Amino acid sequence: MNEQQRKEQSQIKQTDHPTDGKSGKDNIERIKSTTSDEMIAKYFQTSYQPPDIKKARKRRKEDVQFHYDFSIPEDMANIGKGKKFLIRTYGCQMNEHDTEVMAGILTEMGYESTADTNEADIILLNTCAIRENAENKVFGEIGHLKPLKLEKPDLILGVCGCMSQEESVVNRILEKHHHVDLIFGTHNIHRLPHLVKEAMFGKAQVVEVWSKEGDIIENLPKARNGKIKAWVNIMYGCDKFCTYCIVPMTRGKERSRRPEDIIQEVRHLASQGYQEITLLGQNVNAYGKDFEDMEYTFGDLMDDMHKIDIPRVRFTTSHPRDFDDHLIEVLAKGGNLLDHIHLPVQSGSSEILKKMNRKYSREEYLELVRKIKEAIPNVTLTTDIIVGFPNETEEQFEETMTLVEEVGFEAAYTFIYSPREGTPAARKKDDVPEEVKKQRLYRLNELVNKQSAKSMKSYENKVVKVLVEGESKKDPNVLAGYTEKNKLVNFKGPKSAIGHIVEVKVTEAKTWSLNGEMVEKTVEVN
Ligand code: 5AD
Ligand code: SF4
């Protein structure tokens, strides 16, 4: 994208201020004086596009451009020397990984990280829009940070992530939260150095939210959280348009990274000693469908991962619709491809699935599960479920309960449906009272807990392989890590085991974790 196009798509809007340059005093004046009407009028002179499902559906595939030329502008390279940043992350793994990228960029600009808000010169809230309560938490935090900003006017307070892709959110911040200096979207992360500069030296709130989403920026720096496990993006966006979900609007269209870039990143992580990678995408099974010059699917990518010398490869999240036979065949090879599959079902009722636009029925989901279990007999399945979708009947909810039992999920993330502005389901009238939705969630959780406890019990007296991540939060004498099937294990062992895969004999099962004793007492440190 050239500078002209960038300008056209940019949402940067500066409001005028009578003085030159920005000092702490100017900043406070702006917070106090700018009226919201002024802000909004100026802001909407820009080309900002709110989430619009009709427009989003029409987006074209051929626009994906790859950029390998990211660099920090010279004048920003040392701007953070002696200063600190703090990024608070809400939501999914995709956001966690975006935070690692932003931390990487800020580190290259000379900033150091801190966990203390009082010490920070930049605070970014990397937000999640998936449900209303996620948004409420962020607005609560924005409010809590106001006294700090008033006390420290040079502090740069930014809001980024999925919420900043929503018109209503940007509106509300401009209207009510003048102490926020910077709002930028999920397609603008690589612009962070420029945005920080604008916020630092400009005189107004900086808003940059591109509705354009075609680009993949390859060589962004990453400050990874730890040296044992790493996230690797394989694709961005989602084109599935489930009727309840805001992600296709906040994260844009499906676009896959080139396999050679992914393979190179994973090889590099392996050579640095990482033990586990998780391939990330909103719908990883759609990987490669947007390639116009080659046939290369998620199954092919997993086959290539299988050949890399890294002990554990996971992926999230899958969509049942795109889970093909080739992928099942590849996963059945085992090795570093682990026998745990997270396969969101969302509902056990074919009627609700249709209303959700999930593009599979209960029967098709169960058939997929049958095929997976046949190919990988020891597989562990986990899932995501929404209860209380508009007008869900008691019978339809019961179908979810029976499906959970039939599949035997060992864990599930369960949610009450939350209407999201701009999505088709949010326009539906809903006759299910909130209290009934809560009860359904409670009943579902009881069932999931029972199944989890049962699966945990089956590990008692067995030996499991645990990738040791560190000391347990509750007791520094206890080590904690995860099995291949992603079960949390706490056990006593030497600190030298951290970062290694060790064998642990399970002595006690709890609902969500296992206690054990390490089998190998000596660990080679390589
Ligand atoms: N309300 C409740 N849950 C939702 N999810 C996505 N959108 C909504 C919504 N509007 C859940 C789905 C998805 C998970 C990440 O969040 O179960 O798989
Ligand atoms: Fe949302 Fe996942 Fe459906 Fe995409 S596949 S629309 S991210 S629930």
Side-chain angles (χ1 to χ4, degrees):
M1 186 190 300
N2 64 34
E3 207 47 45
Q4 185 54 33
Q5 289 166 318
R6 179 169 284 157
K7 273 195 192 128
E8 277 166 20
Q9 281 161 353
S10 165
Q11 304 296 312
I12 291 196
K13 191 63 212 169
Q14 294 260 313
T15 49
D16 299 327
H17 195 277
T19 55
D20 286 325
K22 185 162 110 176
S23 67
K25 194 161 153 275
D26 296 336
N27 208 327
I28 290 287
E29 285 309 306
R30 166 181 53 85
I31 297 168
K32 284 190 191 149
S33 70
T34 321
T35 68
S36 57
D37 289 352
E38 240 175 89
M39 280 286 197
I40 286 168
K42 297 211 171 189
Y43 168 61
F44 280 108
Q45 284 163 15
T46 70
S47 57
Y48 173 70
Q49 296 290 310
D52 179 332
I53 197 156
K54 282 203 192 105
K55 275 198 197 129
R57 274 178 188 279
K58 279 192 206 136
R59 58 204 183 194
R60 294 175 308 148
K61 294 241 180 248
E62 58 269 24
D63 279 337
V64 179
Q65 291 167 29
F66 292 79
H67 300 261
Y68 293 85
D69 56 356
F70 174 85
S71 65
I72 311 275
E74 240 171 64
D75 58 338
M76 293 305 283
N78 280 315
I79 202 110
K81 270 243 157 81
K83 293 186 178 156
K84 298 203 167 155
F85 74 87
L86 183 156
I87 308 178
R88 198 149 277 165
T89 314
Y90 301 81
C92 67
Q93 296 94 335
M94 197 68 76
N95 262 16
E96 301 251 359
H97 190 44
D98 282 349
T99 290
E100 293 181 332
V101 172
M102 292 189 281
I105 295 175
L106 291 170
T107 306
E108 286 207 354
M109 290 165 69
Y111 287 94
E112 273 175 49
S113 82
T114 176
D116 180 356
T117 45
N118 294 308
E119 264 189 11
D121 300 281
I122 296 189
I123 299 178
L124 298 179
L125 305 182
N126 187 7
T127 63
C128 169
I130 201 113
R131 282 170 291 276
E132 197 184 357
N133 55 6
E135 296 202 353
N136 291 343
K137 269 193 226 157
V138 171
F139 277 112
E141 185 63 10
I142 292 175
H144 285 145
L145 289 168
K146 187 167 181 179
L148 186 67
K149 172 74 191 180
L150 292 175
E151 200 182 295
K152 268 179 77 175
D154 286 332
L155 166 72
I156 294 176
L157 176 58
V159 175
C160 55
C162 288
M163 277 170 72
S164 45
Q165 293 291 136
E166 291 178 272
E167 181 186 23
S168 58
V169 168
V170 177
N171 241 341
R172 183 167 158 190
I173 295 175
L174 291 177
E175 210 171 319
K176 299 211 176 105
H177 304 284
H178 298 167
H179 63 292
V180 172
D181 300 279
L182 175 60
I183 307 170
F184 60 100
T186 56
H187 310 301
N188 306 73
I189 289 176
H190 61 292
R191 300 260 309 140
L192 192 55
H194 302 269
L195 298 172
V196 167
K197 187 173 166 183
E198 294 278 350
M200 216 172 238
F201 301 112
K203 299 161 236 158
Q205 282 181 302
V206 178
V207 182
E208 182 172 299
V209 182
W210 289 346
S211 44
K212 153 103 180 157
E213 73 238 342
D215 295 0
I216 292 186
I217 321 285
E218 264 309 328
N219 62 331
L220 293 171
K222 295 169 190 92
R224 295 192 187 269
N225 189 8
K227 301 224 168 299
I228 303 168
K229 302 205 294 194
W231 311 112
V232 177
N233 272 129
I234 63 164
M235 62 183 302
Y236 303 92
C238 180
D239 283 346
K240 278 284 177 274
F241 293 102
C242 300
T243 55
Y244 51 81
C245 187
I246 199 158
V247 168
M249 276 76 84
T250 60
R251 290 277 171 177
K253 71 180 175 193
E254 277 171 6
R255 53 216 191 274
S256 307
R257 286 180 72 197
R258 303 294 297 182
E260 58 274 19
D261 291 329
I262 299 169
I263 291 167
Q264 192 194 31
E265 184 174 342
V266 175
R267 285 220 178 102
H268 183 61
L269 289 165
S271 73
Q272 288 179 299
Y274 281 89
Q275 300 290 302
E276 179 178 309
I277 53 144
T278 302
L279 304 179
L280 285 182
Q282 245 80 38
N283 167 14
V284 290
N285 306 79
Y287 175 79
K289 292 197 167 182
D290 54 326
F291 292 147
E292 295 196 332
D293 58 337
M294 61 173 167
E295 284 282 320
Y296 186 91
T297 63
F298 185 55
D300 297 322
L301 182 68
M302 289 306 276
D303 213 8
D304 278 334
M305 292 295 122
H306 181 64
K307 294 172 199 146
I308 297 179
D309 188 14
I310 191 154
R312 291 179 170 194
V313 178
R314 298 186 193 275
F315 56 94
T316 195
T317 253
S318 281
H319 193 298
R321 165 79 191 203
D322 296 324
F323 212 108
D324 58 30
D325 292 349
H326 176 47
L327 176 61
I328 298 177
E329 211 177 286
V330 171
L331 293 179
K333 291 183 184 181
N336 61 359
L337 309 181
L338 305 182
D339 49 5
H340 166 218
I341 300 174
H342 187 69
L343 194 60
V345 66
Q346 312 298 0
S347 167
S349 150
S350 294
E351 285 150 2
I352 294 287
L353 289 169
K354 192 152 201 279
K355 288 185 184 169
M356 288 177 162
N357 191 32
R358 289 291 289 178
K359 300 187 175 86
Y360 56 84
S361 62
R362 174 192 175 96
E363 291 69 32
E364 282 163 339
Y365 185 91
L366 288 172
E367 173 56 15
L368 174 61
V369 167
R370 191 197 60 74
K371 278 201 269 182
I372 292 174
K373 284 183 175 172
E374 190 179 70
I376 314 166
N378 208 18
V379 72
T380 285
L381 292 168
T382 56
T383 199
D384 290 352
I385 296 170
I386 297 175
V387 302
F389 188 76
N391 309 316
E392 181 191 58
T393 63
E394 179 59 26
E395 292 70 36
Q396 288 165 338
F397 169 69
E398 285 290 344
E399 286 185 83
T400 296
M401 296 285 278
T402 55
L403 181 124
V404 167
E405 275 180 304
E406 205 169 325
V407 176
F409 292 117
E410 294 185 16
Y413 295 107
T414 57
F415 313 101
I416 292 182
Y417 166 73
S418 169
R420 306 282 60 217
E421 197 184 318
T423 61
R427 290 193 289 273
K428 291 268 175 296
K429 268 205 155 159
D430 186 0
D431 64 7
V432 190
E434 206 48 39
E435 201 40 52
V436 172
K437 295 189 187 215
K438 282 189 188 150
Q439 273 174 16
R440 286 183 190 163
L441 184 71
Y442 179 82
R443 283 160 63 198
L444 177 61
N445 285 344
E446 291 280 286
L447 177 61
V448 172
N449 289 354
K450 201 175 89 191
Q451 290 188 187
S452 172
K454 187 173 156 220
S455 82
M456 288 302 202
K457 200 88 191 145
S458 71
Y459 286 104
E460 273 181 357
N461 299 316
K462 296 218 172 99
V463 173
V464 288
K465 288 194 173 125
V466 179
L467 172 56
V468 190
E469 291 186 23
E471 294 163 2
S472 146
K473 279 186 190 148
K474 287 183 204 146
D475 181 352
N477 294 316
V478 172
L479 299 179
Y482 287 87
T483 69
E484 292 179 343
K485 291 167 178 286
N486 220 19
K487 312 281 186 203
L488 174 63
V489 183
N490 293 301
F491 64 99
K492 287 223 164 89
K495 300 264 186 284
S496 58
I498 295 172
H500 297 267
I501 295 171
V502 300
E503 297 200 330
V504 175
K505 183 163 182 195
V506 176
T507 51
E508 187 192 359
K510 307 215 165 161
T511 308
W512 296 111
S513 65
L514 303 168
N515 290 339
E517 284 162 3
M518 200 166 129
V519 175
E520 298 165 319
K521 290 286 179 222
T522 50
V523 178
E524 269 182 45
V525 181
N526 48 33

